[in-house]
Amino acid sequence: MGKIYTADFETTTDINDCRVWAYAICEVGNPDNFIYGNSIEDFMKILANNESNDKYYFHNLKFDGEFIFSYILNQGFEYVPSKKERKSKSFSCIISDTGQFYQIEIYFKVTKKHTNKVTILDSLKLLNFSVDKIAKDFKLPINKLSIDYKAKREVGHILTPEETSYIRNDVEIMARALKIMFDEGLTKMTIGSNALSIYKEMNQRFDTYFPVLPAQVDKDIRRSYKGGFTYLNPLYKEKEVGYGNIYDVNSLYPSVMYYENMPIGNPEFFKGEYQYDPLYPLYIVTLSCSFKLKKGKIPTIQLKRNLHYLPTEYIETTNGDIETFTLTNIDLELFLSHYDVEDLMYHSGWKFKSTKGLFCCYIDMYTNLKINSKKEGNGALYLIAKLMLNSLYGKFGLNPEMRSKYPYLKEDGSIGYHLTDKELRDSVYIPVATFITSYARRKTITTSQKIRDYSLKTYGEDYYIYSDTDSIHCRNLDAKELDGIIEIDKYKLGAWDNEAQFTRGKYIRQKCYIEHLQGKDKINVTIAGFPKNLGEKVTFDNFNPDFSSNGKLAFKHVKGGIVLVDTTFTIKR
């Protein structure tokens, strides 16, 4: 059984001299075992000389892994698509078509009796946070340090004590964090895989409740699978507001998994409109119609992969055009209550048996861990509990259609990636994923609508501003006033917590707004894709469409690996 290590590279920032100037290795479970050096050649010699098939975790393998690819491809290593084809001086990898790095396996020497290999993994897939945040949230005895990244370091540069301490803390923080994760039995490649594995252990009838569906059935049902409800009230677009409140659901997805009926088993196909069936009460259906939003209602429908509409747009009217789309019965009920519909035609769908409570034991276990660890001040277990509560539902949405990437050397010496042909794998059970997200959208939308209706009735004005999946922002309606209108409780699963108040806010579009939170010195900046370190450059005066700022780092693929280069970030209209 091989050992497990964390590893990290420090690299130059010169596009004409891209290389590793420092590496560090720390053993998980034995942080005193720390090794460092100043070249990738020495790092790879350590990997090649291991005889026990060790594992190495980098935090953000997408970056460090490219330096490894550059080195081994230049040394004549050959990519093989599967372990069955492994041979001496070869490697395989798991990289998604979107460029997500999961694993690299390097086969240094393969004989009939023994394979000398290393497995390289991404700890970011287990703990999707910065090293600094992990150290703080896990309440570890060491913190992340800082150095001058841009300082010139020649080939053979001898690390200073400051640099050594810096890179040591990085790998030791991750080694300590992974030790805690592994001690909790979380040894799978991703946090979602760990959640699903533990749930399967708790549910002995998993395969009965959640059978693998035929590819075409999965494809039909998947058309109803959509993300969280994220919507800006047009009344407040690009406008500034004063006092307001932010309400968050206590564990939105776990709460609907806990309380709502979930689909199970093999579905039955039906043609036309669904007819009520007590044995199959849940369904998804494909329909065609034209529609127009009712007065005062919040829109609920997006039509993606339709050139007539923006994919992020919530549609108010089709202007008489008939559109075709697929909804769960939860989304359908909401749609019919919010829109005036004409020329409605139901085509076909799938109906499901259902049950309630299948996830209760799992959620209870991690909810109790979350509560108890918070009382005890155990930051690591508290964060693990939160991750496990929020990571299970997404695994049910695993797409059976997949394509992968693998690296090759381009003519200029940089790394490029080939895309494999489409492959099919077993799905998990898409009906659960689509109904969980449907219930979640319904909760957020209906609560947003209640806030809008209350403010219009009470004050003659629309105080509803913005929703983002599990949160609602509104003008000054505090918890005392809304209690009874919506369920408010700081701790109850599925209730709304008045998490924060703001004294000033400004909103441009979905996932693009700023707020000055009460009691805070800084503006809270939420802009999709905007680096947090640039937040201080944003003010209420300059926060407008077309706002630009230098300082966003972007990958540039060059000979030797990757260089992070400064680019300009612009808020697009």
Side-chain angles (χ1 to χ4, degrees):
M1 181 67 179
K3 293 182 178 181
I4 303 175
Y5 299 90
T6 54
D8 188 28
F9 291 158
E10 295 303 326
T11 61
T12 57
T13 58
D14 184 350
I15 61 173
N16 298 309
D17 181 28
C18 178
R19 56 185 163 80
V20 173
W21 63 263
Y23 70 85
I25 299 169
C26 184
E27 184 180 348
V28 175
N30 182 19
D32 291 335
N33 185 8
F34 168 71
I35 303 169
Y36 72 99
N38 60 4
S39 72
I40 193 170
E41 290 81 7
D42 287 349
F43 174 80
M44 294 303 297
K45 284 177 184 176
I46 292 172
L47 269 58
N49 290 330
N50 96 93
E51 292 292 333
S52 54
N53 297 343
D54 297 331
K55 293 182 179 180
Y56 292 80
Y57 281 86
F58 283 85
H59 202 62
N60 192 9
L61 185 58
K62 185 173 184 176
F63 180 84
D64 302 89
E66 189 146 323
F67 289 85
I68 294 172
F69 284 148
S70 179
Y71 179 83
I72 61 177
L73 285 169
N74 276 293
Q75 293 297 313
F77 280 69
E78 181 182 340
Y79 168 76
V80 292
S82 68
K83 294 179 181 180
K84 294 179 181 178
E85 301 169 72
R86 61 191 172 188
K87 56 187 176 181
S88 296
K89 292 192 70 173
S90 66
F91 71 95
S92 62
C93 56
I94 302 175
I95 305 173
S96 73
D97 57 353
T98 58
Q100 291 292 318
F101 279 51
Y102 292 91
Q103 179 178 284
I104 303 168
E105 284 199 321
I106 305 174
Y107 310 105
F108 293 97
K109 188 174 182 180
V110 177
T111 67
K112 291 182 178 180
K113 293 184 178 180
H114 181 69
T115 297
N116 177 17
K117 71 168 186 176
V118 294
T119 303
I120 301 171
L121 299 151
D122 190 359
S123 52
L124 200 64
K125 300 299 184 292
L126 290 169
L127 293 165
N128 189 23
F129 312 103
S130 68
V131 174
D132 182 44
K133 180 175 172 59
I134 290 168
K136 291 174 180 175
D137 286 359
F138 272 51
K139 298 184 179 179
L140 298 177
I142 56 174
N143 292 312
K144 184 174 175 61
L145 304 176
S146 61
I147 56 169
D148 181 1
Y149 284 102
K150 296 184 178 181
K152 182 70 174 177
R153 296 173 175 94
E154 302 292 342
V155 174
H157 167 76
I158 304 301
L159 274 65
T160 66
E162 177 191 35
E163 292 166 343
T164 304
S165 295
Y166 171 84
I167 197 168
R168 176 168 189 159
N169 274 31
D170 270 12
V171 291
E172 186 175 335
I173 286 167
M174 293 312 304
R176 289 177 179 271
L178 289 181
K179 176 65 165 61
I180 296 168
M181 297 285 287
F182 298 157
D183 285 348
E184 289 298 306
L186 309 180
T187 58
K188 300 291 183 182
M189 191 183 299
T190 68
I191 192 66
S193 296
N194 281 301
L196 184 63
S197 175
I198 287 176
Y199 178 68
K200 283 184 174 181
E201 290 176 8
M202 298 175 69
N203 187 342
Q204 299 301 312
R205 299 188 64 195
F206 183 92
D207 293 337
T208 301
Y209 288 126
F210 311 119
V212 175
L213 301 178
Q216 187 57 52
V217 178
D218 180 284
K219 192 171 185 177
D220 287 352
I221 296 168
R222 192 169 294 276
R223 294 190 183 100
S224 69
Y225 187 32
K226 302 173 180 67
F229 178 72
T230 305
Y231 176 72
L232 172 62
N233 186 345
L235 185 66
Y236 294 98
K237 183 177 175 63
E238 298 178 29
K239 292 182 180 177
E240 189 175 319
V241 301
Y243 283 91
N245 294 71
I246 303 171
Y247 293 90
D248 277 22
V249 184
N250 299 321
S251 302
L252 175 60
Y253 291 116
S255 70
V256 299
M257 293 165 74
Y258 199 94
Y259 295 120
E260 303 290 358
N261 284 299
M262 291 294 154
I264 57 171
N266 286 301
E268 282 200 359
F269 180 76
F270 64 89
K271 289 186 177 181
E273 184 176 1
Y274 168 83
Q275 303 298 319
Y276 177 69
D277 185 340
L279 291 178
Y280 292 83
L282 300 179
Y283 63 95
I284 65 105
V285 65
T286 298
L287 64 146
S288 296
C289 64
S290 64
F291 55 88
K292 182 179 181 180
L293 189 67
K294 294 179 180 178
K295 185 177 180 181
K297 292 293 187 180
I298 294 171
T300 69
I301 292 295
Q302 291 177 321
L303 294 177
K304 299 181 185 293
R305 295 177 293 277
N306 185 318
L307 296 178
H308 294 100
Y309 310 96
L310 295 173
T312 58
E313 175 188 5
Y314 282 92
I315 300 167
E316 295 192 5
T317 179
T318 62
N319 293 311
D321 293 339
I322 296 175
E323 304 292 352
T324 300
F325 46 101
T326 303
L327 301 175
T328 66
N329 62 284
I330 308 302
D331 286 326
L332 177 61
E333 291 163 12
L334 201 59
F335 169 68
L336 293 175
S337 68
H338 280 237
Y339 291 89
D340 290 319
V341 177
E342 293 184 353
D343 302 311
L344 177 60
M345 177 180 291
Y346 294 100
H347 300 291
S348 63
W350 296 90
K351 57 184 180 179
F352 309 87
K353 294 178 180 177
S354 75
T355 191
K356 188 182 293 187
L358 284 179
F359 299 103
C360 290
C361 289
Y362 177 91
I363 293 169
D364 282 339
M365 181 174 75
Y366 282 108
T367 299
N368 291 334
L369 178 62
K370 181 179 171 184
I371 293 169
N372 292 332
S373 58
K374 188 171 186 178
K375 288 179 181 177
E376 296 165 2
N378 190 325
L381 290 185
Y382 178 77
L383 184 59
I384 287 171
K386 285 184 66 175
L387 285 170
M388 295 299 281
L389 282 169
N390 292 317
S391 299
L392 178 58
Y393 90 91
K395 288 298 292 184
F396 283 87
L398 181 73
N399 196 329
E401 291 187 358
M402 60 172 289
R403 299 180 76 183
S404 303
K405 287 183 175 181
Y406 64 92
Y408 69 96
L409 271 179
K410 297 167 70 175
E411 288 187 8
D412 63 1
S414 66
I415 297 295
Y417 293 90
H418 288 303
L419 195 61
T420 66
D421 293 334
K422 190 178 292 185
E423 301 173 39
L424 278 179
R425 59 184 170 183
D426 284 346
S427 58
V428 179
Y429 191 71
I430 184 61
V432 158
T434 193
F435 272 91
I436 288 171
T437 52
S438 292
Y439 285 123
R441 285 191 299 275
R442 182 178 71 177
K443 186 176 188 70
T444 302
I445 292 170
T446 55
T447 305
S448 301
Q449 189 69 54
K450 286 178 182 178
I451 289 173
R452 166 180 277 184
D453 293 346
Y454 171 78
S455 64
L456 284 168
K457 181 179 179 181
T458 307
Y459 300 104
E461 293 184 58
D462 186 355
Y463 281 10
Y464 164 68
I465 301 172
Y466 178 69
S467 299
D468 190 348
T469 308
D470 63 350
S471 68
I472 296 173
H473 304 233
C474 60
R475 284 169 57 190
N476 199 17
L477 295 169
D478 64 27
K480 287 184 180 179
E481 185 171 3
L482 286 182
D483 193 20
I485 307 299
I486 64 176
E487 184 179 22
I488 297 175
D489 188 285
K490 192 170 184 63
Y491 303 105
K492 183 180 176 182
L493 185 69
W496 294 86
D497 175 26
N498 188 188
E499 187 176 85
Q501 296 80 42
F502 56 88
T503 57
R504 195 178 179 188
K506 191 173 183 181
Y507 310 82
I508 292 179
R509 53 176 165 75
Q510 293 113 305
K511 298 187 182 295
C512 186
Y513 61 92
I514 60 173
E515 291 169 331
H516 189 278
L517 300 183
Q518 194 165 344
K520 302 288 184 181
D521 294 331
K522 296 192 299 183
I523 296 171
N524 180 46
V525 179
T526 300
I527 309 173
F530 188 68
K532 289 185 178 180
N533 63 300
L534 300 182
E536 293 183 355
K537 294 188 177 184
V538 180
T539 68
F540 276 90
D541 291 331
N542 67 20
F543 183 63
N544 295 296
D546 301 327
F547 165 87
S548 291
S549 174
N550 293 325
K552 181 181 180 181
L553 297 177
F555 280 15
K556 185 173 180 62
H557 302 268
V558 298
K559 184 178 180 179
I562 291 173
V563 173
L564 296 174
V565 296
D566 283 345
T567 60
T568 299
F569 178 88
T570 302
I571 296 177
K572 298 178 181 178
R573 288 186 177 274

